[in-house]
Amino acid sequence: MPQVVRLYVVIETVAARHRNSKALLALAVGTFALGAAEFVMMGVLPQSALDMAVSIPDAGHFISAYALGVCVGTLFLVFGRRIMPRTLLVLFAVLIVLGNTMVALSGGYAMMITARFISGLPHGAYFGTAAIVAKELAEPGKEARAVAVTLTGQTIANMLGVPLGTVLGEFMSWRLAFAFLGAWGVLTIVMLVAWVPQVPAIKDTGLAGQFAFLKHPGPWMIVLAVLAGNTGIFCWWSYVSPWLTSTNGFASAAVPALMAVAGLGMVVGALTGGRLSDAWKPGGAAAVGQSASCIGLVLIALSHGPMVLAVLLTFLCACSMFFVNAPQQLLMVEAGEVGDGGGEMLGSALVQIGFNLGNSFGAAIGGVALNMAAMDYRVAAGAGIPFTLAAALLLGAFYRRYERRVRR
C-alpha cells in the first residue's frame, strides 16, 4: 500500500509539472505578442511613415503612443483587483487582437496613433498579472525561473519576431506584421483559456491598500533601478543598427542576422537571470545584470576593435538587458505582498512602466549625445554609463539592506 501511495504522488507530481509547463507556455505566447508589438514598429518605421504620408519624426509618435498606452493601462490593475487573474489575462489578450488589427487596417495618422495607444494598454498589465500567475504556479524555490520562462516570449519576439516583421515590411507590407500579431492574439486567448488554471485573485485591501507597499523605500529603489538601467542601455540600443553599420562597418543587409544574435542574448540572459535569482537572491542577481550592462557600455564607448568584438558586445548587452527582468519583476511582486498585501499586481506593472519610460528617456538622451558628438554612436553608449552605474548601485544597496542576511 505505501508503494501505491508513493507511485500516485510521483504520477500526480509529474502531471502537475506538465500542466504548469503548458500554463507557462501560454503566458509566454502572450508576452511574445506584446514584445513584438512594442519593438517591430522601430523596424518598419520608414514604411509606415511613407504609407501614412508623414515624416519620420512624426512617425516616431507611433512608438510614443504605445509607451503612453503601457502607462495608462496599469490602471486596469488598480481597478481590476477583484477580477480573477486568468480572466484579466484573457481581456488583455482581446486588446492585443483589437489594437494590432487596428494598426494593420489604419488608414490615416490619427487612427494609427489611436491603434498604437490601444496596443500598448495591455502591455504592463499583462506582464504584471502573468508574473503573479507564474509565481503562484511555480514549485517552491523556483519562482524566479517560472517568471523568467513567462518573460522569454518577449525575448524570443526580439530574436525572431522583430527581424521577421522587418523583413515583411521591407519586401511585402508592414501591415502584415501587425495582422500576424492580431492573429497571434487570438491564439493567445485560446491557449490561456485551455491551459492556464484559475488562481485566486490577490487580496483586496481597497484602493488605497494597493499603494501601501510604496510607503517603504525598498520598492522605490527597485523601480528607480529599472528606470535608470533601461535609460542607460537604451541610450545605445535605440541606435544599435547605425552603430553596427556606421561605426563597425557591417552592411545593412547583415543587421537582421545581428538582431537575431542580440535576441539570442536576450533569451540566454532572461533564463540565466531567473536561475541565479532562485539560487541566490533576486536583488543581488539584478545588481550583477546591471553591472554587466555598465561594463558593456564602457567597452562599446572605448571600442575600436574588429567586427567580432562588436558582435560579442551586442550579445553581452542584450543578455544583460534581459538578465535583470525576472529578478526585478519578482522583487516587485514580493514587495506588494509585504504587510497586508494587495499590491502585487501594481508592483509588477510598475516594472514595465519603468522599463518603457527608460526606453523613451534613453532614446532622447542618446539622441542629444549624438547631436553633440557629430553622430558618434560610441558617445551615445557613453551617455548611458552613469545611468546603468546608478542602477547597479541602487540594486547593490537593496541587496545589502534587505537580502544579505536573509536566507532564501
Side-chain angles (χ1 to χ4, degrees), residues 239-255 258 377:
Y239 307 97
V240 64
S241 180
W243 173 74
L244 287 166
T245 55
S246 300
T247 304
N248 295 286
F250 286 98
S252 58
V255 172
L258 292 168
Y377 293 97

Side-chain angles (χ1 to χ4, degrees), residues 49-75:
L50 181 63
D51 209 1
M52 296 291 115
V54 297
S55 67
I56 292 291
D58 285 341
H61 296 152
F62 302 156
I63 297 171
S64 302
Y66 188 96
L68 179 61
V70 174
C71 298
V72 174
T74 305
L75 295 175

